[in-house]
Amino acid sequence: MNMKINKLYRTLLFGGDYNPEQWLDRPEVLKNDISLMKEAGVTVVSLGIFAWSSLEPEEDRFDFGWMDQVVERLHGAGISIFLATPSAARPSWLAARYPEVLRVAPDGKRNLFGGRHNHCYSSPVYRNRTALINRKLSEQYGSHPAVLLWHISNEYGGECHCELCQANFRLWLKERYGSLEELNRAWWNSFWSHTISGWEEIHSPVPHGETGSHALVLDWKRFVTHMTVDFMSHEVAALRAGGSTLPVTTNMLPVVEKPGFGPGLDYWKFRDVVDIASWDSYPAWHMPGFAYGGGTGPVDDYRRAAEEAFLHDFYRSLSGGPFILMESTPANVNWAERSKIKKPGMIRLSALNAVAHGANSVQYFQWRKSRGSFEKFHGALVGHDGGSDTRVFRECSGLGALLGTISAAAESLYPAKAAILFNWENWWALDESMGTVNGAGKAYLETLKKHHYALWNLGIQTDILSGDEEESVLNRYRLIVAPMLYLLPRETASRLASFVAGGGMLFCSYQSGYVDEHDLCHESFAPGPLSEVLGLEVEECDALYPGEAVSIKGTSSPVADYQDIIRENCRAEILSVFEGGMGHSRPAVTRNHWGKGSAWYLAGRVDADALDRLYRSISGEAGLESSHEGISFRSPAVSVKKRTEETGVEYLFLLNFSGEPSRVEFDQPVEPFPPAEGAPEVHLKSLELEPYGAEIVRRSPS
Ligand code: GAL
């Protein structure tokens, strides 16, 4: 393993995005930054993310002098650097001289210079210019002892519809399908007379052209991911050409269902390019009401913490170990409809929620507020006053100091014996499909988060899987939860079947097993290639109107949106049936024993209470351990998560997501962590969490 990345596994880093290029005419500010960073306990900064025009003010005229100074100063102060490649925003001269580097919108119009993420990944000019600057950065800093990691670009995302991209799309399709006949077959192009007779006739999906061919849309999305990953690999290759062997990451976005947000990329495909995953987390803390069942009240922040946890779990799983929390805000964002600041305690609490789930760093956007332009009012450790006498600075420095004393926890991992299957291509295909429920009501991601929440709330720690993992990886888990697996290639089904046959427990739901990897329907009843394992066939699925009186018999749990009608030949054990609707008295929840394991099926969309009951019995049957074991607390807003060392030592993170204090009691005494100064032998039987309080305790194996 690369020795530099090792450090990320040995310490909990603390810091943020540092933009000295905005202050080059203010040397006193830059000097002061270092002493303020020391005061705050900063141990790492992300440097140079948007600094291209300062590093190369004119074509081929490079100016690294200022960065040399900054790097030396940071190094002198013992602060490490995640050094960025600057491709996320380009200098104006580059766009003016080579318009091909700018993106073309779906309507065919080339963008003007402006914004960021406004570049074509196919453009040979853009590729050459990024390769050149990356190579130079690598030569200059690639073996500098302060530089720990390459921060490649910034939040890759978006797409380009220029002619170069169209040509690359066609090439990619040729490679994928080999012949037009094969492509026409896979895309079912005889439909609406869409048969294609020449490769050059293919165009990306655009509103004034084709958007109704599901397979075309799916392949375009795959292609956009492919181009982006390819571009990132190209960036990394240039760093390697410059001699650097440092590990790489790229900061990824929150994965959200909201249209227009999010990357539009299948992040799983970045797994092979990044050495460690990192992401930027911006939850709307303190916003009333929330996804999992609406409602407002004392547990809203708890639910939001759960949603964050889903993403922490995803990025930790993508990382295959600890991940980096590359960005978050120490106070407010500046782009929300209402950009709320964090209540006292929330800085430490949200940071420890990340660490609890496997983050080995807590970093902020941004170190210092800029004086001008778009983000001048975005939260930062240092505000426009330029000093440290602020609540935010004090709370952040407290966190910095804490992270410095709990580094021992960096080598522990987040143990999980349950996993949720989140397949990106399935998400895309399901979103595109026209069927039972259309539009936002399908809610694939939200459904995954609801199932995740039910487990998280019970203290059942989960990993996230893509579904493409080898059997040996699947076999590490006792339970795999795979709701709404609409796109189900035979191969995935057969790996899941082997997992069950070998003793695993699989949980599936309505809207599963309809199409193969080309979005072509399986020639069978749903859930297609999983019917045998699940022991049932779905003959019809009814769309429920809001308010239709359908429930799970014997409970008051309503069923919404989807109600499967399972055929009479159901071989699975029927655990509950529907009350009402077309599927009245038909199976609602089933379990099929298969090989050494079992496969469960949920035939309608149920609410949080029903999921809670379901997962209580599933996790009991699967023998899943809860992180709550040996711990009692009354507040529904307290979350307890644990990281475990190989030695069996456990770090328990006790997190109170409410404005009320809360007491936590332990069956066996635990040690405070970090140990109380001057009293290393202290043992606790209970402790009091402050409002929005967060504590860590250590439990040694008995
Ligand atoms: C991130 C981005 C940062 C900054 C931040 C503001 O998505 O990477 O550069 O813009 O948002 O919240």
Side-chain angles (χ1 to χ4, degrees):
M1 181 194 288
N2 189 310
M3 289 313 288
K4 284 289 175 65
I5 206 165
N6 256 341
K7 188 162 178 194
L8 287 166
Y9 293 104
R10 286 198 312 267
T11 51
L12 298 174
L13 294 169
F14 177 66
D17 279 22
Y18 183 37
N19 302 307
E21 67 278 6
Q22 295 176 14
W23 301 90
L24 293 181
D25 58 347
R26 299 286 302 283
E28 76 288 0
V29 171
L30 298 185
K31 262 199 196 134
N32 203 25
D33 276 336
I34 303 293
S35 46
L36 286 169
M37 283 179 192
K38 293 307 286 176
E39 191 180 337
V42 165
T43 50
V44 71
V45 296
S46 301
L47 182 67
I49 300 175
F50 296 111
W52 196 340
S53 63
S54 306
L55 291 167
E56 192 184 1
E58 285 168 34
E59 185 167 358
D60 292 332
R61 182 167 75 75
F62 294 93
D63 177 4
F64 288 0
W66 65 270
M67 194 178 255
D68 290 349
Q69 270 187 20
V70 172
V71 167
E72 288 316 322
R73 245 188 227 144
L74 290 164
H75 182 45
I79 298 169
S80 297
I81 299 169
F82 291 170
L83 190 59
T85 66
S87 66
R90 71 235 47 79
S92 146
W93 61 256
L94 176 52
R97 189 160 313 157
Y98 306 104
E100 72 159 54
V101 304
L102 295 172
R103 258 175 214 179
V104 168
D107 65 3
K109 247 174 134 175
R110 194 174 291 281
N111 292 349
L112 297 177
F113 174 73
R116 46 185 183 173
H117 315 299
N118 181 9
H119 42 269
C120 167
Y121 294 133
S122 296
S123 157
V125 173
Y126 204 61
R127 286 190 171 226
N128 289 340
R129 297 312 309 181
T130 48
L132 182 60
I133 186 120
N134 286 11
R135 185 165 56 72
K136 293 214 171 264
L137 284 168
S138 168
E139 286 163 357
Q140 190 85 356
Y141 307 109
S143 50
H144 193 287
V147 182
L148 211 55
L149 180 79
W150 289 106
H151 177 300
I152 310 289
S153 201
N154 192 76
E155 295 182 341
Y156 283 116
E159 57 190 51
C160 172
H161 295 260
C162 75
E163 276 313 315
L164 294 167
C165 286
Q166 303 294 345
N168 276 335
F169 182 40
R170 290 168 199 141
L171 275 178
W172 181 84
L173 289 169
K174 256 187 206 165
E175 183 113 325
R176 185 172 174 83
Y177 293 105
S179 69
L180 269 183
E181 292 69 48
E182 208 33 51
L183 177 139
N184 277 319
R185 193 197 60 77
W187 287 10
W188 208 251
N189 273 344
S190 47
F191 179 77
W192 284 351
S193 204
H194 277 20
T195 306
I196 284 163
S197 46
W199 291 100
E200 64 294 345
E201 293 163 20
I202 298 173
H203 195 281
S204 57
V206 289
H208 60 296
E210 180 65 272
T211 55
S213 164
H214 293 160
L216 161 70
V217 174
L218 184 58
D219 273 344
W220 170 253
K221 288 177 189 276
R222 285 172 171 145
F223 165 75
V224 171
T225 293
H226 160 80
M227 280 310 288
T228 313
V229 173
D230 186 68
F231 187 84
M232 177 167 172
S233 307
H234 163 83
E235 288 213 47
V236 176
L239 296 174
R240 302 293 176 236
S244 175
T245 55
L246 289 174
V248 304
T249 192
T250 185
N251 54 332
M252 304 192 211
L253 283 151
V255 185
V256 289
E257 197 126 11
K258 216 166 163 190
F261 279 72
L265 300 171
D266 178 352
Y267 273 157
W268 287 116
K269 298 287 189 295
F270 285 74
R271 234 189 308 203
D272 298 336
V273 197
V274 297
D275 293 301
I276 184 165
S278 64
W279 81 287
D280 302 342
S281 160
Y282 292 99
W285 295 117
H286 316 312
M287 186 165 84
F290 203 50
Y292 314 117
T296 61
V299 295
D300 290 353
D301 275 326
Y302 177 78
R303 287 172 169 161
R304 198 155 286 109
E307 189 185 28
E308 279 309 280
F310 175 83
L311 295 178
H312 291 322
D313 287 349
F314 168 64
Y315 283 109
R316 186 194 60 253
S317 304
L318 200 150
S319 215
F323 65 94
I324 296 170
L325 180 66
M326 191 66 91
E327 289 181 27
S328 53
T329 180
N332 57 293
V333 296
N334 69 323
W335 40 258
E337 227 171 292
R338 280 156 206 260
S339 300
K340 202 158 196 62
I341 57 177
K342 284 176 167 165
K343 292 190 179 167
M346 201 67 216
I347 287 178
R348 173 179 160 125
L349 176 61
S350 54
L352 290 188
N353 189 40
V355 176
H357 288 86
N360 271 10
S361 86
V362 175
Q363 288 159 262
Y364 293 113
F365 179 87
Q366 49 191 340
W367 164 250
R368 179 185 281 275
K369 279 185 189 171
S370 50
R371 281 194 67 201
S373 210
F374 191 71
E375 293 181 323
K376 58 183 176 295
F377 295 122
H378 193 288
L381 274 85
V382 180
H384 294 133
D385 62 290
S388 60
D389 186 18
T390 61
R391 176 182 79 97
V392 167
F393 193 94
R394 276 190 295 277
E395 284 197 41
C396 287
S397 338
L399 174 67
L402 174 73
L403 293 178
T405 58
I406 60 168
S407 269
E411 289 182 63
S412 60
L413 295 172
Y414 187 81
K417 284 284 169 200
I420 307 229
L421 201 153
F422 169 25
N423 184 275
W424 225 284
E425 297 192 351
N426 175 57
W427 186 14
W428 287 335
L430 185 63
D431 259 9
E432 282 305 308
S433 73
M434 298 298 293
T436 309
V437 172
N438 294 317
K442 286 176 199 158
Y444 174 60
L445 191 61
E446 192 182 308
T447 304
L448 296 187
K449 289 177 179 175
K450 282 180 174 169
H451 285 252
H452 174 268
Y453 175 74
L455 289 160
W456 187 87
N457 183 44
L458 294 172
I460 309 296
Q461 305 196 158
T462 53
D463 283 342
I464 311 290
L465 296 171
S466 72
D468 297 330
E469 293 79 5
E470 289 171 10
E471 257 170 69
S472 59
V473 176
L474 304 186
N475 291 339
R476 289 183 202 152
Y477 301 95
R478 304 177 85 98
L479 170 69
I480 295 179
V481 175
M484 300 185 85
L485 201 51
Y486 160 84
L487 182 146
L488 181 61
R490 286 194 172 277
E491 209 199 308
T492 310
S494 99
R495 270 179 286 118
L496 290 172
S498 310
F499 162 74
V500 177
M505 194 181 271
L506 176 68
F507 181 93
C508 295
S509 80
Y510 54 91
Q511 288 298 290
S512 290
Y514 283 89
V515 300
D516 67 9
E517 62 274 28
H518 300 301
D519 212 348
L520 287 173
C521 292
H522 290 297
E523 293 180 74
S524 58
F525 293 108
L530 274 179
S531 290
E532 218 179 318
V533 178
L534 287 157
L536 54 84
E537 291 173 336
V538 177
E539 186 159 334
E540 291 182 276
C541 178
D542 194 21
L544 300 177
Y545 288 121
E548 266 194 68
V550 180
S551 61
I552 306 278
K553 193 169 177 186
T555 75
S556 53
S557 291
V559 174
D561 303 329
Y562 296 97
Q563 185 185 30
D564 278 343
I565 295 158
I566 291 176
R567 284 165 69 80
E568 298 289 358
N569 62 357
C570 178
R571 294 176 307 281
E573 203 180 326
I574 298 168
L575 302 178
S576 60
V577 296
F578 289 118
E579 176 104 54
M582 290 283 287
H584 181 71
S585 292
R586 296 287 186 93
V589 179
T590 63
R591 173 181 52 200
N592 196 38
H593 293 288
W594 173 264
K596 293 189 194 142
S598 61
W600 293 59
Y601 190 79
L602 171 65
R605 179 172 278 167
V606 294
D607 70 356
D609 288 344
L611 287 181
D612 177 65
R613 282 195 301 276
L614 206 50
Y615 281 110
R616 276 177 201 274
S617 67
I618 288 179
S619 56
E621 195 170 309
L624 291 167
E625 196 201 322
S626 163
S627 56
H628 301 173
E629 252 150 67
I631 304 170
S632 337
F633 49 92
R634 267 205 209 100
S635 164
V638 168
S639 164
V640 175
K641 294 292 170 285
K642 83 177 171 197
R643 286 178 66 156
T644 314
E645 276 179 9
E646 262 176 29
T647 55
V649 167
E650 295 176 341
Y651 298 95
L652 298 164
F653 291 75
L654 315 165
L655 310 167
N656 178 15
F657 290 96
S658 87
E660 300 298 320
S662 184
R663 192 173 179 73
V664 179
E665 289 168 358
F666 308 98
D667 291 359
Q668 299 299 325
V670 294
E671 304 156 49
F673 189 68
E677 232 173 283
E681 293 303 313
V682 172
H683 284 90
L684 303 172
K685 277 288 276 174
S686 69
L687 61 76
E688 194 81 11
L689 291 173
E690 289 182 5
Y692 295 106
E695 300 296 338
I696 311 167
V697 295
R698 184 161 54 184
R699 195 159 61 179
S700 304
S702 41

